[in-house]
Amino acid sequence: MKLAILGASGGIGRLLVEQALARGHEVTAAARGSSQVTLPPKATLLRGDLEDEAFVREVITAGGKRDVVLSALGHRLPGIAPWHKPERPAFLQRSTDAIVGAMKAAGVSRVIAISSGGVGDSREIIPPVFKMFVALSAMKTVFASLEDMEQRYLASGLEVCIVRPSGLTDEPATGRVVIAKKYAGRATIPRADVAAYMLDQCEKPAFTEKTPSITVTGA
Ligand SMILES: NC(=O)c1ccc[n+]([C@@H]2O[C@H](COP(=O)([O-])OP(=O)(O)OC[C@H]3O[C@@H](n4cnc5c(N)ncnc54)[C@H](OP(=O)(O)O)[C@@H]3O)[C@@H](O)[C@H]2O)c1
């Protein structure tokens, strides 16, 4: 498949690029000019402004129209989470609008993006202590922004899958991802498993889930 991977400098973004190439996909990756990233030579890396629809359109059409857009974009915090608000609060709002606009203009219909467990209706399945932690920390701002991003994608009319991972780790992939209906313990998932789940969804003829709360532990 021809894939566009946005946010290729991030923890999950890099793994998406590596795993997509290993699965034999053709990858155009994008990152902003200042991103610290070196990708395998088989990936095409374009640098530019992810809030700019024209740039995103270039990314998803360069080397042929992409079959699926994968966004690993998220907020960068200027210090240790969860006590710092996003460095650029409107980034997800603006980049989502740019991605949706560019996809419609280019005739690309499938997009898979990353939100978080506890956002939207998955708030109902997280433990009360985590809800309180979100409400009392700067995560409140991040979660509101992720919810706004989700709504923009879900209202776009595109074929959308928004993954809501539990706490991310850098452990190796387990291949044991489940969709949580309720969290009953410390819920974590390796970034490598999130990337693999996203690619599995891409490889299906249609996404099987719209907003899966994915985890390896704690469900
Ligand atoms: N941490 C957790 O436990 C947890 C749990 C559930 C969900 N999540 C969500 O999962 C997402 C992905 O995780 P991750 O570890 O892969 O995140 P990450 O390493 O922080 O990656 C975020 C990506 O977004 C890009 N980005 C941020 N602001 C940008 C801007 N203004 N312009 C262009 N690019 C920008 C970053 O580019 P640069 O490299 O240039 O900054 C990077 O590529 C997180 O953002 C978070 O919303 C996290």
Side-chain angles (χ1 to χ4, degrees):
M1 299 177 83
K2 290 180 185 291
L3 304 179
I5 298 176
L6 313 179
S9 56
I12 296 173
R14 287 167 201 256
L15 292 165
L16 277 172
V17 174
E18 282 170 19
Q19 292 183 18
L21 292 173
R23 292 180 185 212
H25 298 303
E26 203 182 289
V27 174
T28 303
R32 58 178 159 180
S34 60
S35 291
Q36 304 291 315
V37 60
T38 311
L39 296 181
K42 273 171 88 179
T44 301
L45 175 64
L46 300 179
R47 288 181 179 273
D49 180 358
L50 274 304
E51 296 178 24
D52 177 10
E53 187 176 314
F55 172 65
V56 178
R57 190 169 173 184
E58 186 191 333
V59 173
I60 65 180
T61 54
K65 195 169 87 170
R66 302 289 106 179
D67 297 305
V68 187
V69 174
L70 298 95
S71 172
L73 296 172
H75 282 300
R76 281 285 186 204
L77 307 177
I80 298 169
W83 308 116
H84 291 82
K85 290 190 179 168
E87 60 172 23
R88 192 163 165 74
F91 171 62
L92 284 182
Q93 175 192 329
R94 293 193 177 135
S95 56
T96 303
D97 286 349
I99 293 164
V100 168
M103 287 180 66
K104 287 185 173 175
V108 175
S109 61
R110 302 182 75 201
V111 58
I112 180 160
I114 306 169
S115 176
S116 175
V119 172
D121 58 8
S122 69
R123 187 174 184 279
E124 303 312 318
I125 67 168
I126 62 172
V129 64
F130 185 45
K131 274 183 214 164
M132 204 187 315
F133 169 72
V134 170
L136 296 176
S137 70
M139 293 311 288
K140 188 177 173 181
T141 318
V142 174
F143 270 44
S145 175
L146 288 172
E147 183 147 0
D148 176 86
M149 176 195 81
E150 288 194 355
Q151 284 167 3
R152 283 167 200 268
Y153 278 126
L154 292 169
S156 67
L158 297 170
E159 190 197 338
V160 172
C161 175
I162 296 168
V163 298
R164 294 169 168 167
S166 58
L168 300 174
T169 75
D170 287 318
E171 300 297 312
T174 65
R176 289 187 282 106
V177 175
V178 294
I179 297 177
K181 300 288 174 223
K182 188 99 190 152
Y183 288 110
R186 193 171 131 66
T188 61
I189 182 169
R191 287 178 171 82
D193 276 324
V194 177
Y197 180 89
M198 292 170 74
L199 289 167
D200 289 347
Q201 284 289 322
C202 289
E203 289 167 357
K204 295 182 192 297
F207 298 140
T208 54
E209 302 286 335
K210 242 189 174 87
T211 53
S213 292
I214 56 171
T215 193
V216 168
T217 67

